[in-house]
Amino acid sequence: MAQGSSVTPARRAAYEVVHRVFEDDAYADRVLQSAAAGLDRRDRALAQQIAYGTVQRVRALDHGIEALGRRPVRKLDPPVRTALRLGAYQLGYLEVAPHAAVNESVELVRAAGLERAVPFTNAVMRRLSDGLRGLLDALPEGPLKHSYPEWIYETWVRDWGEEGALDLMRAQNEPPETVVRLVRGEIRGEPTDVPGAWRVERVDDLALAEGRIWPQSRGSQLAGLAVGSRAGERVLDLCAAPGGKATMLAGEVVAVELHEGRARELEENARRLDATNVRVVNADGLALPPELAGFDRALVDAPCSGLGVLAGRPDLRWRARPLPDLQLALLRSAAERVKPGGTVLFSVCTLNADENEAIVEASGLSPDDLGTEWPQFGHPKDPRFLLTAPHRHGTSGFFVARLRV
């Protein structure tokens, strides 16, 4: 894209993120990393706010653009579509000067070389600046207003009831709290209700580079602690990258990762965090080498739809899908490698009974009572399990069950 002279660097980076996410199916966090590489902290934060907000709210924004612009969004040129979405987000959800949002969207289209589309963009943006906020405010409570796919809303209504579903949607449209795990040394921040988890204003890049902290939500850290591993035990972590939980575990840890690049990243992270007890194995958790057997404990932090981490991953709501068959297969694979009487900790960062309680039930393994250890996080329907919920606990949503083999 040509350098639009009157487009701020933050908005240029935000444009790049939104365009790549919806036109190339790219991941928002990865595009932001490159698009905002040269920006100072303030511009980077603004780029992230605008880009992530636009991606999250795109269903509601598209509804507004179509209602006021009177043309289907899918029929617009991609640069026009992207510029209108960015402008609409700022008009609908941020306190910006309307004329600035209008001008920048127009300039983004011009910088993309689409001079013929400038009058159309200008006209639609002016209509949005007059009518969008009122239109959005008047939408009835539900998945269009809060910009979620219907299936996520329906899943949450089934599992949490109507009010719970609305609360969950609202909570995961807000930026998540910034929490790190303190690996060693001291930290500026406040301790939380999960030992070792500290709430901070921002992640200290130097402390991260030196392996003194690790960015990790309270829900994720809770899952690692609930494994209950002790020195002298052999522990299998079946889906280990990037290594946040693996590097929390005591004992002799074998951390398995399927993808070669992620296995290398896992090794690097274990080294940085000085987790000398962790050995990385690049293998398929469903086809483990025969020598990986006789473990005291296992951790299966399984791939899932991610419905508990939507606040921090704006594009996930549009690409999420439940993975119950894979989860059950991984859980069974781990159980086969654990000694009789040992435990398998099953965790997923999703809020969906099909990927939570139903997997435990299908496994046939008997759960330990984790709710007595962590009463504040007890699952509302079965307190033997733990369930952190964004709208109740202010952290990412994690389901945690510890099962006896």
Side-chain angles (χ1 to χ4, degrees):
M1 163 176 190
Q3 301 286 304
S5 55
S6 57
V7 179
T8 61
R11 285 177 177 82
R12 205 160 32 235
Y15 173 93
E16 173 97 357
V17 174
V18 174
H19 191 271
R20 293 278 319 282
V21 165
F22 292 116
E23 308 305 332
D24 306 333
D25 199 28
Y27 289 93
D29 56 342
R30 291 182 199 165
V31 183
L32 180 71
Q33 224 174 350
S34 55
L39 303 185
D40 63 29
R41 188 181 294 280
R42 213 172 121 225
D43 274 348
R44 190 194 158 82
L46 179 60
Q48 179 170 334
Q49 181 189 29
I50 295 173
Y52 280 21
T54 304
V55 173
Q56 270 184 342
R57 301 279 189 173
V58 75
R59 185 179 175 192
L61 297 174
D62 284 0
H63 172 76
I65 291 166
E66 292 190 347
L68 298 169
R70 302 192 278 279
R71 192 167 311 170
V73 168
R74 66 174 194 283
K75 292 195 169 169
L76 301 174
D77 286 317
V80 176
R81 182 163 50 227
T82 303
L84 287 176
R85 284 169 168 170
L86 279 173
Y89 173 70
Q90 294 170 76
L91 293 169
Y93 298 100
L94 300 183
E95 298 305 322
V96 299
H99 68 90
V102 172
N103 291 346
E104 291 226 345
S105 289
V106 166
E107 289 305 322
L108 284 165
V109 169
R110 185 170 275 137
L114 287 176
E115 194 64 43
R116 62 182 165 73
V118 163
F120 169 79
T121 306
N122 190 40
V124 174
M125 281 301 299
R126 287 181 187 284
R127 288 205 285 272
L128 291 171
S129 68
D130 290 340
L132 180 64
R133 195 159 281 214
L135 182 146
L136 293 173
D137 289 345
L139 286 174
E141 283 294 335
L144 174 58
K145 185 183 186 77
H146 297 294
S147 189
Y148 284 78
E150 292 293 326
W151 78 266
I152 294 180
Y153 170 68
E154 286 160 9
T155 298
W156 285 346
V157 169
R158 180 198 69 191
D159 292 351
W160 296 84
E162 177 74 27
E163 263 320 299
L166 292 171
D167 286 344
L168 262 172
M169 289 196 296
R170 287 186 200 107
Q172 296 210 78
N173 279 342
E174 297 301 321
E177 63 177 6
T178 306
V179 169
V180 298
R181 173 163 60 88
L182 180 59
V183 179
R184 59 178 171 273
E186 292 181 352
I187 191 170
R188 283 179 64 178
E190 55 170 358
T192 67
D193 52 1
V194 175
W198 288 71
R199 198 175 286 111
V200 294
E201 270 186 43
R202 58 179 180 81
V203 175
D204 178 339
D205 292 336
L206 179 62
L208 178 61
E210 293 178 351
R212 291 183 277 123
I213 60 168
W214 184 256
Q216 192 174 357
S217 74
R218 286 184 292 132
S220 172
Q221 292 190 50
L222 179 69
L225 291 170
V227 174
S229 59
R230 294 188 281 265
E233 293 183 332
R234 291 183 68 236
V235 187
L236 172 67
D237 183 350
L238 206 54
C239 314
K245 297 180 195 66
T247 53
M248 293 177 72
L249 303 176
E252 182 194 319
V253 179
V254 174
V256 175
E257 173 53 44
L258 172 61
H259 301 285
E260 202 179 328
R262 281 170 64 76
R264 277 199 301 274
E265 181 194 351
L266 172 58
E267 272 183 330
E268 176 54 44
N269 291 337
R271 223 184 350 261
R272 186 192 310 171
L273 296 171
D274 201 24
T276 51
N277 62 321
V278 175
R279 177 166 73 90
V280 175
V281 175
N282 180 202
D284 184 347
L286 298 176
L288 291 171
E291 66 272 15
L292 295 188
F295 289 93
D296 300 290
R297 298 178 190 269
L299 163 61
V300 180
D301 183 44
C304 67
S305 56
L307 304 190
V309 294
L310 299 179
R313 296 184 52 193
D315 45 331
L316 186 57
R317 67 184 69 188
W318 309 119
R319 61 170 98 234
R321 59 193 179 94
L323 299 167
D325 296 343
L326 176 60
Q327 291 153 4
L328 182 58
L330 287 165
L331 179 50
R332 286 181 170 151
S333 174
E336 285 170 7
R337 303 306 177 107
V338 170
K339 294 192 272 205
T343 60
V344 181
L345 191 292
F346 173 70
S347 66
V348 276
C349 59
T350 194
L351 303 162
N352 175 0
D354 302 335
E355 298 175 275
N356 295 172
E357 306 95 291
I359 303 299
V360 172
E361 202 168 310
S363 77
L365 301 172
S366 59
D368 281 355
D369 185 357
L370 281 175
T372 53
E373 294 176 35
W374 302 91
Q376 73 272 42
F377 300 118
H379 192 300
K381 291 180 181 162
D382 187 336
R384 295 174 302 172
F385 308 138
L386 305 181
L387 191 67
T388 58
H391 64 306
R392 291 184 179 167
H393 303 109
T395 185
S396 54
F398 263 83
F399 172 85
V400 183
R402 193 170 65 216
L403 309 169
R404 285 273 151 199
V405 176

